[in-house]
Amino acid sequence: LQLRAAYNWRDSYLDFNGIDADARLDRYLDSLGVLDFTASYQLPWWNLSVYAEFSNVTDAPDRAYRGDAALRPVYNEYRDWSASFG
């Protein structure tokens, strides 16, 4: 049996420098934390493994803003969680 949980963190960063050095036009990507789970099991009587993978379990949104996150949001992208089995 193998179990794994992974938390990936991306801090906010400058994505596009504004035109004419106007800081209000700078586009930033907001910080993002994503939680993933993986489980697999080797069946002892056959040479066979089964697995399950779950990505973005917490439905973390991806956000961007210009200059000030509270005043100028660019987008909020919500990606649902996903799973695969085999």
Side-chain angles (χ1 to χ4, degrees), residues 1 4 11 18 22 30 32 34 43 50 55 58 61 65 70-71 73:
L1 177 65
R4 181 181 74 94
D11 206 358
D22 187 348
D30 206 0
L32 175 66
V34 177
L43 298 172
V50 293
S55 299
T58 57
Y65 57 91
L71 297 176

Side-chain angles (χ1 to χ4, degrees), residues 2-40:
Q2 181 180 5
L3 301 172
R4 181 181 74 94
Y7 185 76
N8 296 299
W9 174 259
R10 178 194 76 200
D11 206 358
S12 59
Y13 64 93
L14 177 64
D15 182 47
F16 175 75
N17 194 4
I19 301 167
D20 297 329
D22 187 348
R24 294 174 299 166
L25 298 176
D26 292 347
R27 184 176 64 206
Y28 294 88
L29 293 181
D30 206 0
S31 56
L32 175 66
V34 177
L35 181 62
D36 301 328
F37 289 114
T38 303
S40 64

Side-chain angles (χ1 to χ4, degrees), residues 11 13-14 16 23-24 26 31 33-34 36 39 44 46 48 51 60 63 76 79 81-82 84-85:
D11 206 358
Y13 64 93
L14 177 64
F16 175 75
R24 294 174 299 166
D26 292 347
S31 56
V34 177
D36 301 328
W46 295 316
L48 184 67
Y51 73 92
R63 296 184 172 117
N76 288 323
R79 297 182 198 116
W81 65 276
S82 63
S84 61
F85 304 93

Side-chain angles (χ1 to χ4, degrees), residues 49-67:
S49 293
V50 293
Y51 73 92
E53 296 177 351
F54 300 91
S55 299
N56 195 20
V57 175
T58 57
D59 293 331
D62 195 6
R63 296 184 172 117
Y65 57 91
R66 292 203 187 274

